[in-house]
Amino acid sequence: MAVSERMSRAGAVATSEPFDLVVRGERVLVGGEIVPATVAVRGGVIVSVTTDSGTDAVLASVSESAATRTIVLADDEVLIPGLVDTHVHVNEPGRTEWEGFASATRAAAAGGVTTIVDMPLNSIPPTTTVDALAVKRAAAEGAVFVDVGFWGGVVPGNLGDLAPLVEAGVFGFKCFLVHSGVDEFPPVTVDELEAAMRVLVDADDSLLIVHAEDAALIDGAPHPHSTSYADFLASRPRAAEGAAIAAVIERAGRTGVRAHILHLSDADALDRIAAAKRHGVRLTVETCPHYLTLCAEDVPAGATAYKCCPPIREAGNRDALWRGLASGTIDFVVSDHSPAPASMKFAGDGDFAEAWGGIASVQLGLPLVWTEARRRGVALARVVEWMSQAPARRVGLDSKGAIAPGRAADLVVFAPDERFTVDAEALEHRHPITPYDGRELTGVVRTTLLAGEPVDRSVPRGRLLRRGVER
């Protein structure tokens, strides 16, 4: 059943200033609980949230102001805040044939994501200078269907560019401790990592986010040309992830920087991460839908759609990552949306050593994680916390991530019990490639609202965000 809508004109009830939108229903996610509520919106901002034991009662609480538009949730729908995905590779400009701002943000909106933060690679130029940021913002201007922020990058030799990028509004800085896959974004050494940390502590306490795999251990692993997923998995050993995470923890503890571990795949690192947090290291950690829903044992030979770095590991590792989320050792879940053309994703005709590593999932993240979460007895409210509130909080997007007065009216009407089968050809990102093609999932995004207005796939209304300047 689709969302039912009722239009009413301001003036039917005496009011000095009508609401632009009222959403009411029996299931609204407010303060971590799903309750009957009415949400009133004006100027793109939630101005009131009223909860009660029934929709008639809660509607009465805002009846003194007319609403230009009212959405009444169907019985099988839940209103949740828009998701915040802080790990998206848009690739424009320079590699727009891989993905672009229009296609990536359409896919995001279709998946209930209302804010993304774009990675500083694989665009050309990479976002490692203020001038490069300006080029990227110009490419995105007028082309985005959700709100978009930007990460800067740390590469060898650009320490002097970091503070100006902070001033220009980036949300933090990404670096690699291993080859990034593109030559124009080279990795840093651990000493260069620490030097950047010291700059960022003094540059408005900016955030450093790290692709943590140890270059020497990766280089020393076998890298055969093979269609066997087991061979590829051996080329990215757990020890490489663990050693790099240990180095980040050590240098973050020494400098006091705010640090973040990207796309954790190795559950063996969880004890070390938990200990670092207990000892006051300012550390957060993310994982991704593919590590939570897929496992190495199920990857077919030559199925390079599954290739990503760090790799998808075994089923037992997947279970341990879920325990890490439940305990709070892992802070949130984001997509690491990283698409590429078929010529790259299937390069080598199934040879994992040749194919590009990256999984495009920004549109599917919510149903993927929710399908697995409900199987494990995890509540929808917890999933939304991991995919909306927690990432928003970590990057300082204070207006995002919750249905509460004063927050952005970025809202999603979600049908948590409806099932569908993934059709790669129907996805909005540029190339119809996904390891989830044909997979049955539970949970359908029926409507995505950005600043209180439904996202129209032909009208890009998203804004370009700067850290500390949301409105």
Side-chain angles (χ1 to χ4, degrees):
M1 186 184 301
V3 178
S4 60
E5 299 185 10
R6 186 184 69 238
M7 305 297 290
S8 62
R9 292 294 177 187
V13 179
T15 179
S16 58
E17 189 176 5
F19 297 122
D20 300 325
L21 170 70
V22 168
V23 185
R24 61 187 178 99
E26 293 291 339
R27 296 199 289 172
V28 179
L29 181 56
V30 180
E33 297 183 2
I34 295 176
V35 296
T38 294
V39 180
V41 175
R42 187 182 293 123
V45 177
I46 297 169
V47 294
S48 73
V49 179
T50 309
T51 60
D52 205 300
S53 59
T55 49
D56 291 341
V58 294
L59 180 61
S61 68
V62 295
S63 63
E64 62 268 22
S65 292
T68 302
R69 185 165 179 264
T70 299
I71 295 176
V72 180
L73 299 181
D75 291 343
D76 65 339
E77 294 171 343
V78 181
L79 188 70
I80 62 174
L83 304 189
V84 176
D85 191 337
T86 56
H87 197 150
V88 176
H89 293 267
V90 175
N91 306 330
E92 186 178 8
R95 290 191 174 95
T96 310
E97 71 275 13
W98 295 16
E99 184 68 290
F101 282 104
S103 52
T105 56
R106 279 197 193 100
V113 177
T114 51
T115 304
I116 68 169
V117 186
D118 173 56
M119 285 292 164
L121 74 163
N122 302 300
S123 57
I124 302 174
T127 315
T128 54
T129 67
V130 170
D131 287 346
L133 175 64
V135 171
K136 179 164 282 196
R137 290 179 66 90
E141 189 71 49
V144 297
F145 292 82
V146 301
D147 289 349
V148 178
F150 301 92
W151 294 110
V154 172
V155 295
N158 83 324
L159 288 181
D161 295 297
L162 305 187
L165 279 164
V166 170
E167 290 294 319
V170 299
F171 283 83
F173 294 85
K174 181 177 187 176
C175 68
F176 280 75
L177 296 178
V178 68
H179 195 280
S180 70
V182 292
D183 291 338
E184 69 274 4
F185 201 96
V188 296
T189 66
V190 174
D191 287 341
E192 289 169 331
L193 174 81
E194 181 173 339
M197 287 175 168
R198 294 191 183 280
V199 171
L200 296 182
V201 167
D202 294 330
D204 200 25
D205 198 23
S206 192
L207 178 64
L208 184 64
I209 65 175
V210 185
H211 182 123
E213 289 181 286
D214 182 273
L217 290 174
I218 294 289
D219 290 345
H223 292 271
H225 289 277
S226 174
T227 61
S228 165
Y229 187 75
D231 286 341
F232 169 65
L233 190 60
S235 75
R236 313 293 293 209
R238 291 172 179 269
E241 214 172 337
I245 289 170
V248 173
I249 289 170
E250 178 190 1
R251 303 304 174 104
R254 185 182 300 173
T255 62
V257 77
R258 294 193 305 131
H260 178 75
I261 302 297
L262 296 165
H263 44 48
L264 180 71
S265 92
D266 174 27
D268 289 351
L270 289 170
D271 287 345
R272 178 180 284 119
I273 291 165
K277 290 184 173 189
R278 288 195 302 271
H279 286 91
V281 178
R282 302 168 72 198
L283 182 70
T284 49
V285 180
E286 68 184 46
T287 194
C288 304
H290 36 282
Y291 303 128
L292 297 171
T293 63
L294 303 174
C295 63
E297 294 91 333
D298 294 338
V299 178
T304 53
Y306 290 79
K307 181 181 176 180
C308 59
C309 299
I312 297 158
R313 303 192 188 277
E314 300 83 358
N317 183 84
R318 178 184 58 188
D319 294 341
L321 291 176
W322 277 98
R323 292 193 293 272
L325 275 168
S327 70
T329 304
I330 300 173
D331 297 271
F332 52 83
V333 181
V334 288
S335 69
D336 191 9
H337 178 77
S338 187
S343 60
M344 297 181 65
K345 195 62 187 156
F346 300 134
D349 194 23
D351 183 345
F352 281 97
E354 293 289 333
W356 177 261
I359 292 177
S361 63
V362 69
Q363 184 170 340
L364 295 173
L366 178 57
L368 283 167
V369 177
W370 169 234
T371 298
E372 186 68 15
R374 67 185 286 160
R375 187 180 74 81
R376 294 170 180 268
V378 177
L380 178 61
R382 197 77 193 276
V383 170
V384 175
E385 177 188 352
W386 292 330
M387 303 188 76
S388 181
Q389 184 175 8
R393 182 171 55 241
R394 186 51 165 162
V395 301
L397 285 166
D398 296 334
S399 74
K400 308 285 189 175
I403 299 175
R407 301 293 186 105
D410 296 348
L411 305 168
V412 173
V413 179
F414 184 58
D417 301 317
E418 183 177 347
R419 295 182 178 180
F420 73 101
T421 300
V422 176
D423 177 2
E425 295 287 344
L427 297 176
E428 296 275 3
H429 63 260
R430 188 172 299 280
H431 299 285
I433 302 169
T434 173
Y436 307 110
D437 192 29
R439 191 180 182 103
E440 186 177 75
L441 300 177
T442 303
V444 171
V445 172
R446 290 185 175 164
T447 304
T448 300
L449 300 128
L450 182 69
E453 292 288 336
V455 174
D456 181 336
R457 66 183 310 279
S458 65
V459 182
R461 294 188 303 102
R463 299 167 307 143
L464 305 186
L465 305 176
R466 299 174 187 266
R467 183 188 178 208
V469 186
E470 291 187 58
R471 297 228 166 254

